[in-house]
Amino acid sequence: SRVLMYWYAVTRQPIVGAQGELRPWSAAFVSWLARGAGHTGDTFPSTVLHWDYIEAALAGRGAFVARDPALHPPGVGDLVCAPRGIAVSFATLRRGPYHCDLVVGVANGTVEAIGGNVGDVVALSPLPADAQGLLLPLPDRPWAVVLTPRRP
């Protein structure tokens, strides 16, 4: 029931796909978090695709700025995003499947991030970082972009 709350807060598309599968819901969770933080559709897209808000940040629209994870250490409130099944870097970002998590803590070589649909639950993940705080790539998360809140 909680997943349905995330999903239907941002879309009216059915959550069950044509083959009877539950559609990936992690972007709906992030969009739901954005609504709870006071963002409207003008500052953060209501979407079930992570790409929609990555693209908005790349285009200079909305509440976030896209940054290269090889150069920008994530901080609390940032979104960290990795492609799923496509080979991209910050310089070659393109439409496709991604997963993004919200950074909630940074300390001692670890970035703590909360994401939806991580093993079918909302989970806190400890992500390794180097001495400068830059995310270290993981086999299933080759970091492609950090979305940082736009500062006024």
Side-chain angles (χ1 to χ4, degrees):
S1 65
R2 182 90 47 191
V3 171
L4 293 175
M5 179 183 69
Y6 306 141
W7 185 268
Y8 290 114
V10 300
T11 188
R12 293 294 165 237
Q13 296 176 26
I15 193 168
V16 177
Q19 306 301 316
E21 76 283 3
L22 186 63
R23 291 187 173 159
W25 52 271
S26 58
F29 174 71
V30 172
S31 293
W32 178 81
L33 289 174
R35 292 296 156 275
H39 291 288
T40 66
D42 293 334
T43 60
F44 196 95
S46 287
T47 184
V48 297
L49 299 174
H50 295 286
W51 174 252
D52 291 341
Y53 53 79
I54 293 170
E55 181 180 44
L58 287 167
R61 298 187 317 267
F64 287 81
V65 175
R67 304 205 185 274
D68 186 339
L71 304 173
H72 181 80
V76 172
D78 289 356
L79 295 171
V80 293
C81 306
R84 289 180 174 164
I86 59 172
V88 298
S89 66
F90 183 75
T92 62
L93 285 170
R94 67 179 189 278
R95 184 173 191 81
Y98 291 84
H99 178 82
C100 300
D101 293 326
L102 174 66
V103 176
V104 296
V106 177
N108 303 322
T110 302
V111 173
E112 293 181 323
I114 293 177
N117 203 20
V118 177
D120 294 326
V121 299
V122 173
L124 176 68
S125 298
L127 307 171
D130 67 14
Q132 290 75 43
L134 298 171
L135 284 171
L136 297 173
L138 299 170
D140 61 336
R141 292 191 186 177
W143 305 107
V145 63
V146 174
L147 302 179
T148 303
R150 189 178 302 282
R151 307 288 185 235

